[in-house]
Amino acid sequence: MNQTYFLDDRQFYKIEDLAAYYDSPEFEQRYTYYGTDLGASYTPRQTTFKVWAPGADAVSVCLYEKGRMSEDASDRHGENETVPAPDCQRKIPLKKDEDHPGVFSVSVAGNLKNTFYTYLVERASSVEETADLYAKACGVNGYRSMVVDLRDTDPKGWNKDSYRFRKPSTDAIIWETHIRDFSIDRHSGMKYKGKYLAFTERGTTLNNDGIHPTGTAYLQQLGITHVHLMPVFDFATVNEERPQDEQYNWGYDPINWNCPEGSYSTNPEKGAVRIFEMKRMVLALHQAGIGVIMDVVYNHTYRTEDSYQQKTVPFYYYRTVGGKGEGDSESTHFANGSGCGNEIATERSMMRLYLLDSIRYWAEEYHVDGFRFDLMGLIDVQTMNEVRTMLDEIGKKNGKHYLIYGEPWAASQAALKEPAIPADMRHLADLSDDIAVFSDQTRDAIKGSAFEKTSPGFINGGLGKECAIVDAVRGQVKPGGAMRSSQTITYASSHDNFTLWDKIALTVKGDGSGFDSPEMLRLADNKLSAAIVLTSQGIPFFQSGEEFGRSKYSIGNSYNSDSRINELKWERTVVFRELKDYYEGLIRIRKSFSPFRDDTSRTAHNICICAAENQVVAYTIPGKRKGEPVMMAVCFNASCESRFVDLKAPDGVKLPTEWDILANEKTAGVQPITSVSGTRMMVYLRGVLIAASKEKIS
Ligand code: CA
């Protein structure tokens, strides 16, 4: 990194000095560009290319017929590189925009639809060929950008897409999945295995048996409200040129933030196909009444020194540490709070604007309904709050309520400088109360530490977890915790770490055997977990297949394991039918009783804890709406013997004495299983009891 950088007739010999200039109000005022036309703006008569590259001496656009680079070219690095690549057809210089320092642009006449392009960015010490950071389409593997006519990519019925999720956020029930996992199983009954289009297939069944639904039809029956898709923007670690190979990656390695991933499309060579097919997927889910959440990774990029960000504006998009008087190292280097080689400087104005524009683009162009921010603890609070404000503004126009949530942590300390503050667990009070965070406290209280294989939580025999479960029930609404329940994602499992079933298998028997059999005690533990997640305050979330005992055979970090480990094994919906039905029933119960879904802090405070000791937690919760039971009672018994619980009511509320049992250790649903009188409930060992007062609110 011993280069000299020039900017505004200044010379920067040290990266820390350059970074300090980027952080200065002087730079921000001079260079921040508020236009929304960066990238390639297409019309049939001309295409305008616009680049933000302060300090560049010259920028040119290189046009290509092919999106694919030769194998040799795609491996090129640094000095041996010849730019542009030999198959460049035209090289057109961009002009400096006199009104907007740092901006370069050119309009190229003619119809450039589906033309591939790159930029050449020239600086005193280097010439770099790079894809367009702002590209909306790209060629195979994302090395070259593509001019696209987005109106060509709209599926039939796109303008009539009428899906609207409305407030509150706590009405959502989120099911997290991965495009490939969803359909790749040979028993899935889906044709487009591993592709976006699998979500568009209707009426699919297990082994095409015509009886057991799979895919989108299955989701409708399950009753979840949103599918959360692990990364679907263009990522690096699956070679799109080799679709015939068994390749797998979760996809947390972005290269083009505004293009869909090509390997999930039927033709990654043609840049418009992946856009069209992703839109078809969104539309099909919307038609099934299901919202779509994108898992977005703006906290780092896959590449660092040779990323498009770094080639376009060196060191602007990344935080740096070290240098004189800072840290241990003499030399400045990329900060690495992501654990993936870098971290993005979201606090800098053009990166913040980029992130906002990118979110707006996915929301408006792709009709996406929510966003899950990976390692949100690396993003600054102001940026996150501006995302909330912007999506609320869009929602005012289209009637939608967008979900926003994220991981309130980083892989290691964020290199964010004051006054910027990270959107992490310690700063919930500064974060919008309608941005939710994953509660690792809830997760670990339920099933035990995510990192210690055999350490149990409440459901699998852990002792002393009762108070932590009470916090979970209240959606972590407490001093120093969430301000409202809309700020909490209540969950027991996600793609990270062991699946819930594996964790139970590892803790209950210790040897981790029998991942495939629905053994009774484990089923009981799993049901307990589901009942806690689906009755607690906050936004319930679960990993796809949690409801049918999904196993990854004790592999926690399966980010590049093959599909046999990661795929949803649809036969388990039959083998674990009792468990799947139980989730379905709990979802119905949650939907039927509004206090479970209160997005304020009121219900969290109104809950009356009846028991929180000896592996039993029980509470009552008053109804709110006309027609609802005046009260529900929810009891969890994680002990190995049946227990009695004496119900209590919140102060000033009469305790009902006639109850319908909606859920017990066997089944759950809105149809009463049986009725009981009195205020003493017997809860079966490792069992659940959910009772609704017979009396309704009139
Ligand atoms: Ca890719």
Side-chain angles (χ1 to χ4, degrees), residues 138-142 233-240 253 255-256 259-264 268 274:
C138 62
V140 68
N141 283 329
F233 55 67
D234 183 29
F235 58 81
T237 45
V238 167
N239 186 349
E240 299 174 7
D253 41 76
I255 45 176
N256 281 296
C259 302
E261 164 60 15
S263 63
Y264 300 146
R274 58 180 79 182

Side-chain angles (χ1 to χ4, degrees), residues 559-624:
Y559 76 99
N560 66 354
S561 303
D562 70 34
S563 287
R564 281 186 302 268
I565 298 295
N566 281 301
E567 70 190 0
L568 287 183
K569 292 182 167 41
W570 289 97
E571 284 185 331
R572 288 173 97 95
T573 61
V574 178
V575 180
F576 288 77
R577 180 169 186 163
E578 180 183 332
L579 185 61
K580 185 211 54 145
D581 289 349
Y582 199 79
Y583 274 78
E584 219 177 282
L586 287 168
I587 288 171
R588 294 216 171 105
I589 293 172
R590 183 176 182 86
K591 286 179 172 176
S592 74
F593 191 61
S594 66
F596 289 140
R597 298 176 276 110
D598 187 355
D599 70 330
T600 72
S601 59
R602 202 171 314 132
T603 302
H605 292 307
N606 282 350
I607 283 169
C608 176
I609 303 299
C610 312
E613 55 183 6
N614 299 327
Q615 295 180 275
V616 173
V617 171
Y619 65 96
T620 56
I621 174 170
K624 281 198 313 196

Side-chain angles (χ1 to χ4, degrees), residues 386-547:
E386 287 187 21
V387 170
R388 180 72 271 173
T389 307
M390 177 186 75
L391 289 176
D392 285 345
E393 289 296 322
I394 296 171
K396 269 182 203 158
K397 286 179 218 143
N398 65 15
K400 273 192 184 187
H401 180 65
Y402 294 91
L403 294 175
I404 305 176
Y405 55 99
E407 294 180 303
W409 52 71
S412 65
Q413 180 75 35
L416 199 55
K417 293 190 191 81
E418 287 185 345
I421 47 175
D424 62 13
M425 211 59 201
R426 291 170 302 139
H427 296 96
L428 287 187
D430 300 295
L431 204 58
S432 155
D433 61 12
D434 206 3
I435 295 176
V437 301
F438 285 92
S439 175
D440 52 348
Q441 291 170 297
T442 291
R443 179 195 70 200
D444 290 358
I446 294 173
K447 70 169 183 183
S449 165
F451 304 107
E452 291 161 45
K453 211 171 187 173
T454 56
S455 127
F458 177 78
I459 60 158
N460 40 1
L463 301 177
K465 306 284 183 184
E466 298 84 359
C467 291
I469 292 297
V470 169
D471 282 347
V473 162
R474 296 193 197 277
Q476 302 294 341
V477 174
K478 58 183 177 186
M483 295 180 287
R484 302 161 48 140
S485 50
S486 54
Q487 230 177 5
T488 297
I489 296 286
T490 297
Y491 79 119
S493 80
S494 73
H495 67 275
D496 276 319
N497 313 123
F498 305 118
T499 67
L500 178 59
W501 188 255
D502 286 354
K503 176 71 178 174
I504 291 170
L506 290 164
T507 43
V508 172
K509 262 188 158 174
D511 63 355
S513 64
F515 290 115
D516 292 329
S517 57
E519 192 262 329
M520 272 220 351
L521 189 58
R522 295 178 194 177
L523 277 182
D525 291 352
N526 198 321
K527 287 176 179 175
L528 258 172
S529 171
I532 296 169
V533 169
L534 286 161
T535 56
S536 289
Q537 301 293 293
I539 303 169
F541 168 106
F542 53 102
Q543 185 190 22
S544 52
E546 187 194 287
E547 74 280 15

Side-chain angles (χ1 to χ4, degrees), residues 229-247:
L229 299 169
M230 287 162 68
V232 293
F233 55 67
D234 183 29
F235 58 81
T237 45
V238 167
N239 186 349
E240 299 174 7
E241 292 184 28
R242 304 194 57 80
Q244 66 278 22
D245 295 355
E246 162 68 35
Q247 298 183 74

